[in-house]
Amino acid sequence: MLSFVITLQAQIKGTNIIVRVSPDHADWTYKTGETARLTATVLKSGCPLTGVRIDYEAGPVMYPDVKKTDVTLSNGQLAWKATMKQPGFYQLKVTAHVDDKDYEGLCTVGFSPERIQPTTTCPDDFDSFWQGALREARYTSLEPTRRLLPERCTEKVNVYEVSFQNNSWGSRIYGVLCIPTKPGRYPALLRVPGAGVRPYTGDIWTAEQGAITLEIGVHGIPVTLPQGVYDDLAKGALNGYWEANLDNRDKMPYKRIFTGAIRAIDYIATLPEWNGEQLGVAGSSQGGMLSLVCAALDKRVTFIGVVHDALCDHTASLHGVACGWPHYFYGEKNPDPKKVKVSAYYDGVNFARRVTCKGWYSFGFNDVVVPPTSSYGTYNVITAPKQLSVYPETGHFWYQEQWDEWENWILQQMKLRP
């Protein structure tokens, strides 16, 4: 007789207490001067919870002008009215205290967001600076390496860890390259990373649809090491890399990161399997910014897919408006003038102004990392063919439908979907 022992492990998903904050417009947008009526409801098992204690704050994103604590909701609901005279975003955040635990709900509504304009100015030598940076980087030959990763290969795709030189001898970019096994010439997609440091597995799924994909890291280290290596780097040598040397445009880490993304395009262009036609760049957060950089600096890029783009409109907070991550000058009354000046060379807005290829853009209104003010302002300056897909309730994360739409659009640009 055979005996089978089946171990079932229940998954923990969500919470029984939910703070739902909703507007009275389905698209979460209003005209300036209109009144938005917001309703916050504390739910337990899907039903309003009466007598609950809450704290709330409300006002322009990142600049709340109303804060209340220890308010009791007799019927489990809070009604709130909001308006703005100038284009921008208004946010209501509610924190409920139930059984010694805190539960947060958020709603961010836009007022004439299509009229938001960024504050950053563009240096007169912006183009010459970046042209010079790329010219200097390309003095160093790519000297590429390639190592097969047999455990990741599939019947349809060969997977490799690759590297190539960036802006000086020995300074390398590492990534995971996926190439269809069937002989032919294919469109290409460069996946650029969000902030931080981590390993990468490569975009095997897209490659199986009939494309070359290259997913890169940007810190000059292999991307297939044990997780612990990246954890140590994040806490040590790479901790806060995004703000290092902000007072020196030539030593700022993003100079190397930006040129590295362009060298990745140089590398793709050397592949005999690339069809020489479609070449896209896609990423979210820091990767959204890098997508703008690639499109602005390299006209071989034919499309970009940008999601909640970080590093945009750094100086907005100097005008009392929500700025993009990493919020360089937020809360500063007297910022270093050198840092303010240098930040313009690394502002996504100035790259967005130079985008000429088609693009798909998406973000959420509830994003507290990359506020919609900076994303919308950046989108508004783009004059190239563009498509905006807003998922208002999302924060600095994706809904599955948003991801699917992004992927489908990318495949269409590579002529792999009708």
Side-chain angles (χ1 to χ4, degrees):
M1 179 179 292
L2 297 177
S3 62
F4 297 90
V5 178
I6 302 175
T7 302
L8 299 178
Q9 182 175 343
Q11 292 183 339
I12 298 175
K13 183 177 181 181
T15 60
N16 194 37
I17 306 295
I18 297 174
V19 182
R20 179 166 295 146
V21 190
S22 305
D24 60 340
H25 281 192
D27 62 359
W28 295 39
T29 59
Y30 302 79
K31 298 296 183 183
T32 51
E34 283 188 320
T35 298
R37 291 173 171 81
L38 311 179
T39 303
T41 308
V42 182
L43 302 171
K44 181 177 182 179
S45 300
C47 299
L49 184 63
T50 60
V52 65
R53 292 185 307 107
I54 68 165
D55 303 332
Y56 66 87
E57 60 180 47
V61 171
M62 294 178 69
Y63 294 92
D65 50 22
V66 176
K67 294 186 179 182
K68 299 290 184 180
T69 60
D70 204 24
V71 176
T72 299
L73 299 183
S74 58
N75 61 354
Q77 285 191 339
L78 170 71
W80 192 259
K81 294 181 181 179
T83 189
M84 296 184 74
K85 295 181 180 179
Q86 299 297 325
F89 283 86
Y90 187 102
Q91 190 170 86
L92 173 63
K93 182 172 74 173
V94 177
T95 303
H97 310 291
V98 182
D99 298 331
D100 297 323
K101 293 184 178 180
D102 293 339
Y103 302 86
E104 185 179 291
L106 192 66
C107 182
T108 310
V109 294
F111 288 87
S112 300
E114 72 283 355
R115 292 169 46 202
I116 293 174
Q117 289 298 307
T119 64
T120 189
T121 57
C122 188
D124 292 337
D125 63 345
F126 182 89
D127 292 314
S128 61
F129 172 73
W130 284 110
Q131 289 168 4
L134 291 178
R135 184 169 54 251
E136 180 182 351
R138 285 169 172 151
Y139 287 151
T140 303
S141 59
L142 286 172
E143 300 290 334
T145 68
R146 181 187 293 195
R147 178 173 68 90
L148 184 69
L149 303 174
E151 70 280 5
R152 300 189 188 183
C153 296
T154 70
E155 183 179 348
K156 295 182 178 181
V157 173
N158 285 327
V159 182
Y160 308 87
E161 182 176 41
V162 299
S163 77
F164 42 87
Q165 297 197 113
N166 182 0
N167 59 345
S168 62
W169 186 261
S171 174
R172 303 188 76 83
I173 292 290
Y174 289 82
V176 178
L177 175 69
C178 301
I179 300 180
T181 55
K182 182 179 179 180
R185 291 169 62 81
Y186 297 94
L189 177 67
L190 173 63
R191 295 278 193 184
V192 281
V197 55
R198 63 188 69 84
Y200 295 99
T201 59
D203 187 357
I204 298 171
W205 184 85
T206 301
E208 288 186 334
Q209 312 310 304
I212 296 167
T213 64
L214 174 60
E215 184 177 35
I216 61 169
V218 292
H219 297 299
I221 56 175
V223 294
T224 57
L225 300 175
Q227 180 64 50
V229 174
Y230 306 103
D231 294 341
D232 289 344
L233 286 168
K235 298 171 184 175
L238 292 176
N239 185 23
Y241 71 86
W242 47 80
E243 57 188 359
N245 298 319
L246 184 56
D247 58 352
N248 187 322
R249 68 178 186 176
D250 289 309
K251 294 184 178 179
M252 216 284 180
Y254 275 117
K255 183 180 182 183
R256 180 190 181 280
I257 290 172
F258 289 3
T259 60
I262 301 300
R263 298 311 307 271
I265 296 173
D266 291 345
Y267 174 71
I268 289 173
T270 69
L271 300 175
E273 296 89 350
W274 180 47
N275 65 13
E277 298 177 6
Q278 299 90 9
L279 197 163
V281 185
S284 64
S285 195
Q286 176 187 267
M289 164 61 158
L290 290 173
S291 301
L292 295 172
V293 169
C294 289
L297 298 183
D298 198 320
K299 299 312 174 186
R300 290 173 295 186
V301 176
T302 59
F303 67 90
I304 53 175
V306 178
V307 181
H308 41 246
D309 39 358
L311 291 142
C312 293
D313 207 11
H314 298 309
T315 55
S317 58
L318 301 181
H319 302 266
V321 177
C323 57
W325 181 90
H327 317 299
Y328 286 136
F329 310 115
Y330 182 56
E332 293 191 22
K333 293 183 179 180
N334 298 296
D336 184 340
K338 291 182 180 179
K339 293 183 178 181
V340 174
K341 182 178 180 180
V342 169
S343 73
Y345 293 92
Y346 297 93
D347 197 310
V349 169
N350 290 329
F351 291 96
R353 288 173 170 141
R354 290 161 170 78
V355 171
T356 57
C357 65
K358 66 179 67 174
W360 185 89
Y361 302 84
S362 187
F363 48 85
F365 288 1
N366 279 343
D367 195 333
V368 297
V369 178
V370 177
T373 312
S374 64
S375 289
Y376 233 120
T378 303
Y379 177 81
N380 288 342
V381 304
I382 296 170
T383 58
K386 58 186 179 180
Q387 179 179 336
L388 178 61
S389 186
V390 172
Y391 285 75
E393 197 174 16
T394 58
H396 207 60
F397 58 85
W398 304 71
Y399 279 154
Q400 184 64 53
E401 295 87 347
Q402 185 181 19
W403 177 275
D404 293 343
E405 184 182 350
W406 187 52
E407 290 281 5
N408 190 58
W409 186 86
I410 289 171
L411 292 174
Q412 288 176 342
Q413 307 318 303
M414 295 190 291
K415 299 184 179 180
L416 301 176
R417 287 287 187 275

